[in-house]
Amino acid sequence: MGSSQRSTLSTNVPGFVDGSSARGEFSYIDCLPVYAKELIAGGTAGAFAKTVVAPLERTKILLQTRTEGFHSLGVYQTLKKLLKHEGVKGFYKGNGASVLRIVPYAALHFMTYEQYRCWILNNYSALGTGPVIDLVAGSAAGGTAVLLTYPLDLARTKLAYQVTDMRGSFRTGMSSFPSQPAYQGIKDVFKIVYKQGGVRALYRGIGPTLVGILPYAGLKFYIYEKLKTHVPEEHQKSIIMRLSCGALAGLFGQTFTYPLDVVRRQMQVESLQPSIQRSDARYKSTMEGLTTIIHKQGWRQLFAGLSINYMKIVPSVAIGFTAYDVMKSWLRVPPREKVSTVSTT
C-alpha cells in the first residue's frame, strides 16, 4: 500500500472564504500515505496509554518477578512503599524504556494490523470480512511488532525490577536493597546484556512472549471489532463506546494469556536475582517455565499481579484503542472500505 493510497479528502474547512489557510494547515497531513498516518496514530495512542498506567505497570512487574521486599505485598502497599523509598519518580522507573518501546511497537502493531487485514481481504476474500479477519491480522501484527521491539521490553523490565534506596530510609533488615542500581539507563542495559550473552541475550524470554502475544493481540482486536458490530451506527463514534469495547477486549484477552507473561518476566530478570532464586528460574522453554513455576512457586504465582493487571489493562487498552480511533479521525485516514478499494486498484 503505497502512494496510491493517499487520502483524497478535501483540505477545505468551513469558515475560510478561499480555503487557503486550511490548505496551508492541512496539506501536509493530506499528502501522507495511509500507512504513515496509521504509524503516527498508533505510536501516539501507545505512548499516551502507557504513560497513564505506568505506576501500575511498575507495581505489576515487582509482583510478577517476586522482587525481594515486595512479593508478599498487595497493590496498595507496594505503591505506598515505592513512594516512600523512591518518591514519585519511582512510579515511572523504566517508563522511559517503556515509552521508547511502545511508540514503535504500537505504531507497528496498529499499522501492520491494518495492512495485514487489507492483504487478507484482497487475497482471501472467501474468508469474508467479519471479526475472524481481525483475529488473524491482529495475531500476525502482534508477532511482527514484538520481534522488532523486544530488546526495549527487556530493558524496561530490567530497569523496573531494580529497587534502590533513593532516600536512605531503609532500616535494619532491609539492607538487601542496593544504594546504586545495576543499570543506569536503557543504553547501559543494552551494553551489559549484550556483553554477557550477545544478541541472543537481548531476546531472552522471546519464546513465551510470542506464544502469549499471538493469541492476545488477535483476541484483543477480534473482541474490540466484534463488540463494535453490536453498537448502533449512531453511537459508533462515541468515546464511551470505544472505551467500553476496548476495556472488555483487553480484559478477556489478557486473562487467557497472563501466565505466559509471568514466565517471560522471570526469564528476563533471572540474571538480577539472588543465586538461590536464579537456579529456579533457568527456564529453557516456555513449557518448562510454566511447569517449574507451578512445582516450585505454586500455581498462584502464574497469576501474580493479575489483579493489578486488570486495573492496568482495562484503561490501557481502552485508552489505546480510543486514542487510535481518534487520531485516525484527526489525521483523516480513509474508512476501511475506501482503503481496501484503493489498494486493489
Side-chain angles (χ1 to χ4, degrees):
M1 299 174 71
S3 59
S4 62
Q5 241 184 2
R6 298 177 191 277
S7 172
T8 58
L9 297 179
S10 172
T11 56
N12 290 324
V13 175
F16 293 92
V17 176
D18 59 0
S20 59
S21 296
R23 283 192 293 272
E25 183 178 354
F26 297 112
S27 59
Y28 181 72
I29 292 177
D30 284 332
C31 75
L32 287 174
V34 172
Y35 72 84
K37 294 181 180 183
E38 291 166 350
L39 282 171
I40 294 171
T44 302
F48 181 66
K50 183 62 69 174
T51 300
V52 169
V53 301
L56 296 175
E57 178 70 14
R58 174 88 197 281
T59 301
K60 185 195 75 170
I61 290 176
L62 292 175
L63 294 176
Q64 281 184 325
T65 55
R66 306 179 77 196
T67 304
E68 186 174 353
F70 288 87
H71 65 277
S72 61
L73 299 180
V75 174
Y76 174 74
Q77 290 300 323
T78 297
L79 289 169
K80 184 177 179 181
K81 191 170 185 177
L82 279 175
L83 180 62
K84 178 181 179 181
H85 298 297
E86 297 187 345
V88 175
K89 288 184 178 180
F91 292 153
Y92 294 91
K93 180 179 286 186
N95 190 54
S98 184
V99 170
L100 185 62
R101 179 193 72 92
I102 203 63
V103 169
Y105 174 83
L108 288 167
H109 196 176
F110 282 109
M111 186 275 287
T112 55
Y113 158 71
E114 301 284 4
Q115 300 296 305
Y116 284 137
R117 185 179 184 279
C118 287
W119 182 81
I120 294 172
L121 290 175
N122 293 334
N123 293 277
Y124 299 94
S125 56
L127 294 176
T129 59
V132 173
I133 301 300
D134 297 298
L135 177 66
V136 177
S139 296
T144 301
V146 163
L147 285 172
L148 295 175
T149 62
Y150 187 80
L152 289 169
D153 182 59
L154 179 76
R156 182 274 302 266
T157 300
K158 287 184 177 294
L159 290 172
Y161 176 77
Q162 300 178 134
V163 179
T164 56
D165 188 2
M166 301 296 290
R167 299 187 172 186
S169 54
F170 286 121
R171 299 292 189 266
T172 303
M174 300 291 287
S175 58
S176 58
F177 289 93
S179 59
Q180 293 295 327
Y183 303 110
Q184 301 297 323
I186 301 172
K187 184 178 179 180
D188 198 37
V189 173
F190 288 157
K191 182 179 179 180
I192 295 175
V193 172
Y194 181 78
K195 184 177 180 180
Q196 292 175 340
V199 174
R200 187 174 181 178
L202 292 173
Y203 281 86
R204 179 68 176 164
I206 188 66
T209 301
L210 286 175
V211 173
I213 198 63
L214 294 179
Y216 172 65
L219 285 171
K220 185 173 66 173
F221 280 103
Y222 172 83
I223 296 172
Y224 182 67
E225 296 298 335
K226 184 68 173 179
L227 290 173
K228 289 204 306 185
T229 63
H230 295 285
V231 177
E233 188 174 350
E234 60 270 21
H235 298 298
Q236 285 287 325
K237 295 185 178 180
S238 168
I239 297 296
I240 298 300
M241 182 280 297
R242 290 171 175 170
L243 286 170
S244 299
C245 291
L248 289 172
L251 191 67
F252 287 118
Q254 185 68 191
T255 300
F256 294 116
T257 60
Y258 190 78
L260 296 169
D261 191 46
V262 174
V263 176
R264 170 173 62 119
R265 296 300 184 195
Q266 292 202 11
M267 291 178 74
Q268 288 178 332
V269 303
E270 65 180 17
S271 65
L272 297 176
Q273 294 177 326
S275 57
I276 296 179
Q277 287 183 286
R278 195 180 306 165
S279 61
D280 294 338
R282 286 289 179 180
Y283 311 137
K284 297 180 180 179
S285 67
T286 302
M287 185 56 64
E288 182 183 341
L290 288 170
T291 55
T292 302
I293 289 176
I294 293 174
H295 178 68
K296 296 187 176 181
Q297 301 175 23
W299 67 269
R300 293 179 183 275
Q301 181 60 31
L302 291 177
F303 297 92
L306 181 57
S307 60
I308 191 172
N309 211 48
Y310 282 147
M311 295 169 59
K312 176 186 78 74
I313 209 65
V314 169
S316 179
V317 176
I319 292 170
F321 272 124
T322 302
Y324 179 63
D325 282 345
V326 170
M327 283 297 296
K328 284 203 302 180
S329 177
W330 182 76
L331 292 170
R332 297 192 296 286
V333 175
R336 283 178 169 180
E337 293 73 18
K338 288 186 179 181
V339 171
S340 180
T341 300
V342 173
S343 63
T344 60
T345 59

